[in-house]
Amino acid sequence: MSTKQQQQDQSQLAEISVVNVPPHSEAADEAYDDDGRPKRTGSVWTASAHIITAVIGSGVLSLAWAMAQLGWVAGPAVMLLFSMVTYYTSTLLAACYRSAKRNYTYMEAVQAHLGGFQVQICGAIQYINLLGVSIGYTIASSISMLKSNCFHQRGHGIRSGNNDCQVSSNPYMIAFGLVEIIFSQIPDFDQIWWLSIVAALMSFTYSSIGLALGISKVAENGKFKGSLTGISIVSGSLTETQKIWQSFQALGDVAFAYSFSLVLIEIQDTVKSPPSESKTMKKATLLSVVVTTVFYMSCGCFGYAAFGDGSPDNLLTGFGFYNPFWLLDIANAAIVIHLVGAYQVFCQPLFAFIEKTALKWLPDSKFITREFMVPVPGFRPYKLNLFRLVWRTMFVILTTLISMLMPFFNDVVGILGAFGFWPLTVYFPVEMYIAKKGIPKWSSRWISLQVLSFACLIVSIAAAAGSFAGVISDLKVYKPFKTSN
């Protein structure tokens, strides 16, 4: 490769560049990590903010519905089990950040520890899941904006669960997409820490409002609604088959609510050392999982206690016909702001992968490598890359169009949870950890890890079956680009 080409490679986007020759001065050494990259500054708190932003997303809104399918016994037990599994497998994954070198992405970790065909499988699953998450977040944000606007227009004439609010969600999806086009131009993961903190605060805001409204509704009812086994087929509202499918779908909803493993390595790569990155991530993961589990149990349980078998698939829409409207407006605004940040947390790894691959294939392309300095009053000049501008904009447009074609919030959440939970949260972390630690085959530790993996596979298959059954049912009556309730 020519010297000119090498210089072009080294001036590529921040998120995909690696300076191979570390600086030599003492002052410069303090500014760079052992891999030649600028010093990482992340801590337990910033990592926790990233995780909470990724975890406490739109999934929390569907937990009351999931509780209604499972009941007072299985519902909390399932949430607790998912939290324990997620934390444990996340610690296994965090231990795989370093092998002979740092692994900057989930795929690099799989390549270093497993290699071969499994890397391609992992990449396909991870990036399809990231695409799906962006679609799910677009749908969720549009629902919040639509309901808030519709409730103001119709007021007490609206009742949760009916079709009075016939308004198209498409304009709201387009508005969300326009905002994401702007934020997607943030070059790399490390530069969105402030957005993650804002988004994490917003997640606490709307979750707290949903919890408070649930408690208020329970007090108004004077009792806890719901049953030990969830929606009963005896009431005639469900057939036995529908009960089974919806119970399976509820598993997918809970799995989605705890999904963040697919960006864990990328988050870990923002953390400073010492202490070791794995120790920091274990603390951050424990803190995040405990906090989110408390919120999930509270929102899910009080939402179910408030609405019982009639729990909506989006908790806040159940309170739409109650005053004060301003409180619901705050909650819905917080959801939208949070999802703007969460969208970026999940999409940045995909952005970096595509841009790195494009540079590898076309290292001499000016369109891919050239950057233009755009002056920004009061700030440092912004480095505009035309390839980043075009491809990220097209990605946001694609996710927006798919969201408009299939705006089934609950079904999409269940599918994403089922599709990503076993391979990304359980299988690959378990297999990489076994390879890293050299755990002997058929040893007690090996058997225990394999049993855990197989059990989670069965759960994912069941959740996927239930969610796809829901999509098929919805598609029978849905007309694309028409109004929706």
Side-chain angles (χ1 to χ4, degrees):
M1 181 182 293
S2 67
T3 302
K4 183 178 180 181
Q5 291 173 344
Q6 291 175 347
Q7 291 173 346
Q8 289 175 346
D9 285 351
Q10 291 177 355
S11 65
Q12 64 181 285
L13 303 175
E15 68 267 30
I16 58 175
S17 63
V18 179
V19 180
N20 295 317
V21 181
H24 297 292
S25 69
E26 183 177 345
D29 286 340
E30 294 179 356
Y32 290 84
D33 273 327
D34 55 6
D35 60 345
R37 289 189 172 187
K39 275 284 187 183
R40 293 160 176 83
T41 58
S43 63
V44 170
W45 300 109
T46 59
S48 298
H50 282 313
I51 294 172
I52 291 172
T53 298
V55 177
I56 304 183
S58 56
V60 69
L61 302 175
S62 65
L63 292 180
W65 180 90
M67 282 284 296
Q69 314 312 309
L70 300 172
W72 281 115
V73 176
V78 165
M79 278 193 275
L80 187 60
L81 285 172
F82 270 99
S83 69
M84 295 170 63
V85 170
T86 300
Y87 169 70
Y88 178 67
T89 56
S90 294
T91 62
L92 302 184
L93 181 57
C96 299
Y97 171 67
R98 285 183 182 265
S99 47
K101 62 177 183 63
R102 292 175 185 261
N103 297 303
Y104 303 120
T105 66
Y106 196 116
M107 277 188 66
E108 287 187 21
V110 175
Q111 175 70 61
H113 294 92
L114 302 177
F117 184 65
Q118 295 199 62
V119 178
Q120 299 175 32
I121 296 295
C122 171
I125 294 173
Q126 182 185 11
Y127 295 125
I128 290 173
N129 201 266
L130 290 173
L131 172 65
V133 168
S134 65
I135 293 169
Y137 283 176
T138 303
I139 295 171
S141 65
S142 70
I143 290 174
S144 294
M145 290 186 280
L146 182 152
K147 292 298 183 181
S148 182
N149 180 57
C150 192
F151 290 141
H152 273 286
Q153 292 180 358
R154 304 293 183 86
H156 292 269
I158 295 176
R159 290 295 182 268
S160 177
N162 71 10
N163 296 319
D164 287 346
C165 193
Q166 292 288 336
V167 181
S168 174
S169 61
N170 293 342
Y172 302 99
M173 292 187 186
I174 293 172
F176 183 81
L178 290 174
V179 173
E180 291 300 346
I181 286 175
I182 296 172
F183 279 103
S184 68
Q185 296 310 309
I186 298 175
D188 61 34
F189 203 105
D190 192 52
Q191 295 181 31
I192 65 171
W193 62 268
W194 60 272
L195 187 59
S196 283
I197 291 176
V198 171
L201 292 174
M202 291 300 102
S203 68
F204 284 123
T205 299
Y206 70 73
S207 297
S208 298
I209 291 174
L211 174 60
L213 289 174
I215 294 173
S216 176
K217 188 70 170 67
V218 171
E220 179 185 319
N221 295 337
K223 63 177 181 178
F224 277 58
K225 291 187 176 182
S227 64
L228 295 178
T229 57
I231 297 176
S232 174
I233 61 175
V234 177
S235 63
S237 59
L238 288 178
T239 64
E240 186 173 352
T241 301
Q242 288 174 327
K243 169 69 174 178
I244 293 173
W245 288 135
Q246 291 189 13
S247 295
F248 287 166
Q249 184 178 339
L251 297 177
D253 286 8
V254 177
F256 177 78
Y258 279 102
S259 175
F260 74 93
S261 294
L262 70 171
V263 293
L264 184 145
I265 294 293
E266 285 79 357
I267 293 174
Q268 190 167 352
D269 192 44
T270 68
V271 172
K272 63 184 177 183
S273 63
S276 69
E277 299 88 355
S278 62
K279 288 183 178 179
T280 299
M281 282 305 295
K282 286 179 182 179
K283 292 179 181 178
T285 301
L286 178 61
L287 174 62
S288 303
V289 170
V290 169
V291 169
T292 54
T293 299
V294 170
F295 266 83
Y296 285 177
M297 294 286 271
S298 300
C299 291
C301 291
F302 276 102
Y304 182 43
F307 295 104
D309 291 352
S311 296
D313 59 0
N314 184 328
L315 177 61
L316 289 176
T317 64
F319 303 104
F321 51 93
Y322 294 104
N323 286 317
F325 282 144
W326 62 266
L327 187 60
L328 289 163
D329 286 340
I330 292 174
N332 284 310
I335 291 173
V336 175
I337 294 172
H338 170 259
L339 293 178
V340 167
Y343 186 106
Q344 291 302 315
V345 168
F346 277 99
C347 288
Q348 283 290 339
L350 178 58
F351 292 161
F353 170 74
I354 295 297
E355 287 153 18
K356 182 178 180 179
T357 302
L359 184 69
K360 181 179 178 181
W361 289 353
L362 300 169
D364 298 324
S365 172
K366 298 288 186 181
F367 178 66
I368 294 175
T369 60
R370 180 176 294 175
E371 292 181 339
F372 300 90
M373 304 304 291
V374 179
V376 181
F379 297 91
R380 289 182 299 178
Y382 174 74
K383 295 181 180 179
L384 175 65
N385 178 274
L386 291 180
F387 176 68
R388 181 174 66 222
L389 175 64
V390 172
W391 117 257
R392 293 190 183 189
T393 299
M394 295 303 296
F395 174 84
V396 175
I397 292 174
L398 174 65
T399 59
T400 303
L401 286 174
I402 296 175
S403 301
M404 293 165 66
L405 284 169
M406 196 180 70
F408 310 135
F409 173 71
N410 220 38
D411 299 331
V412 170
V413 165
I415 290 173
L416 291 174
F419 184 70
F421 174 68
W422 177 70
L424 298 176
T425 301
V426 182
Y427 173 76
F428 285 115
V430 164
E431 293 301 317
M432 285 192 290
Y433 186 79
I434 289 174
K436 181 180 180 65
K437 298 298 183 181
I439 299 175
K441 197 172 185 178
W442 303 114
S443 65
S444 58
R445 185 76 187 279
W446 185 90
I447 292 174
S448 299
L449 289 171
Q450 296 298 336
V451 168
L452 171 65
S453 181
F454 181 75
C456 291
L457 171 61
I458 299 301
V459 170
S460 285
I461 292 173
S467 299
F468 277 113
V471 169
I472 292 171
S473 176
D474 287 338
L475 285 175
K476 290 179 180 179
V477 297
Y478 175 69
K479 296 180 180 180
F481 302 111
K482 300 296 183 181
T483 58
S484 59
N485 63 319

